[in-house]
Amino acid sequence: MKYAIVGTGAIGGLYGAMLANAGEEVHFLLNSDYAIVKEEGLHVISEVFSNIHLDKVNAYQHAADMPVCDVILVCLKTTSNESVLPSLVQPLLHDGSVIILIQNGLGVEADVAAQFPGTGVAGATALISVNKVGPGQMHHLDYGDLEIGNFNIEDAGMIDRVVAAFDRTGLIAKKAEDLNTLRWRKLVWNITFNGMCVVLNTTADKLLADRATYNLSKEIMHEVILGANACGALLPEAMVYDMLQFTIAMRPYAPSMKLDYDAGRPMELRYIYENPVAMAKAAGYYMSKVDMLLQQLLFLSKY
């Protein structure tokens, strides 16, 4: 199959490079990095796998110059979906193409499916620590697991084939049984640590090293689980302890929203905070601590 990477940043660069290194045909859409990647290739420095240097890259600066592809992996921030995604993805589609959103948040698949009627859409969550450290250069710190949940792809075997391709890279990939549960499970971590790291100007490891913020993190995670359960995603309470221990064991890492805020970029508030708060409330449960965190983030986003 032909793969397109829309958004060759840290996530898209790493996953695309690993697919290409494993022998898949991958086409990369780039912006400011185009000239350097075209000349020098893509580099992945990994603390987990062998380093990768793709000398010759199928690199493009304009989507109109790319071939149509079978699988379009969207690795942009959701803040770009409404404004630029249609113009980037439409030229890449044929009748059997599917769009897989390696993005964060709740409700993103429905909105993208409405933008591309007749095209199958799936959502994916990435358990990964990776930073872009230069043009076409990614530093992979830890993990890399990918899980894909179907939204409206009619050919269910397509996701199996994509999972198999990622498995051949050495990553752990699997197909989720339920997209709603997949999205809420990731939100338990994202809602808690993205927002708190921005509001308190810190990193997740420091939050969990302090008793007060450790307890607050735990309370917010419990609240998200109750919101998830109200929305039909039956997440166990025990996952809070497991996720806290997982986070403590991680290498010190600033979440993506903290990096965006520090760089003056828009934060992904709609899908990570606004939609979950509204959907849980509509289902009968008010996530009050999450809503307070949202209001603080909305304030910070204005100044």
Side-chain angles (χ1 to χ4, degrees):
M1 296 192 294
K2 291 184 181 179
Y3 291 82
I5 303 294
V6 176
T8 309
I11 297 285
L14 174 67
Y15 283 139
M18 294 197 73
L19 285 170
N21 192 56
E24 301 294 336
E25 181 178 342
V26 185
H27 300 268
F28 296 83
L29 180 62
L30 299 113
N31 188 10
S32 58
D33 292 358
Y34 168 75
I36 292 177
V37 170
K38 191 71 176 175
E39 180 69 24
E40 301 179 6
L42 279 172
H43 301 260
V44 175
I45 302 167
S46 179
E47 308 294 337
V48 182
F49 303 107
S50 298
N51 295 340
I52 295 173
H53 174 213
L54 296 181
D55 186 30
K56 294 183 179 179
V57 177
N58 297 318
Y60 307 83
Q61 196 167 19
H62 305 288
D65 297 330
M66 298 174 69
V68 294
C69 291
D70 305 298
V71 180
I72 291 84
L73 298 174
V74 176
C75 306
L76 298 169
K77 294 295 178 68
T78 56
T79 50
S80 300
N81 283 13
E82 189 173 350
S83 58
V84 303
L85 195 61
S87 64
L88 300 181
V89 171
Q90 194 64 53
L92 310 179
L93 300 176
H94 60 71
D95 289 343
S97 298
V98 299
I99 301 169
I100 299 179
L101 304 169
I102 308 180
Q103 296 183 309
N104 288 319
L106 191 66
V108 62
E109 291 82 14
D111 288 347
V112 171
Q115 291 178 312
F116 301 98
T119 299
V121 175
T125 62
L127 176 63
I128 190 168
S129 297
V130 60
N131 294 318
K132 181 181 170 185
V133 293
Q137 298 180 29
M138 282 67 64
H139 184 199
H140 176 210
L141 298 166
D142 221 340
Y143 307 107
D145 302 9
L146 190 72
E147 191 166 358
I148 304 172
N150 193 10
F151 179 73
N152 67 346
I153 296 175
E154 294 182 1
D155 178 8
M158 177 64 85
I159 294 178
D160 293 322
R161 293 192 288 276
V162 174
V163 166
F166 274 105
D167 278 339
R168 289 192 290 271
T169 69
L171 295 168
I172 297 173
K174 63 180 180 179
K175 182 166 68 173
E177 293 183 5
D178 177 65
L179 177 62
N180 183 50
T181 301
L182 176 67
R183 285 300 188 193
W184 275 104
R185 185 186 302 120
K186 184 68 179 293
L187 283 169
V188 174
W189 197 95
N190 273 340
I191 284 176
T192 304
F193 294 107
N194 273 287
M196 288 185 67
C197 286
V198 171
V199 169
L200 297 177
N201 189 28
T202 189
T203 53
D205 59 305
K206 292 180 180 178
L207 286 173
L208 297 183
D210 180 86
R211 180 173 294 277
T213 48
Y214 177 94
N215 288 333
L216 181 56
S217 300
K218 184 167 63 175
E219 290 169 7
I220 292 174
M221 294 171 87
H222 277 292
E223 190 174 90
V224 178
I225 287 175
L226 292 175
N229 291 346
C231 292
L234 302 180
L235 302 179
E237 289 282 329
M239 73 174 290
V240 170
Y241 176 79
D242 294 338
M243 199 167 284
L244 287 169
Q245 294 307 306
F246 161 80
T247 307
I248 289 170
M250 287 175 66
R251 299 171 189 266
Y253 180 71
S256 60
M257 189 172 289
K258 178 68 164 63
L259 297 176
D260 288 338
Y261 178 72
D262 288 347
R265 296 187 292 263
M267 293 183 286
E268 297 181 281
L269 301 184
R270 177 180 176 184
Y271 292 105
I272 296 179
Y273 289 94
E274 294 180 21
N275 279 4
V277 168
M279 291 179 183
K281 194 170 185 179
Y285 181 73
Y286 177 46
M287 299 192 297
S288 59
K289 290 185 177 67
V290 176
D291 195 13
M292 184 175 70
L293 194 52
L294 167 60
Q295 301 312 314
Q296 293 171 314
L297 291 166
L298 287 169
F299 174 83
L300 289 173
S301 70
K302 297 174 184 176
Y303 301 100

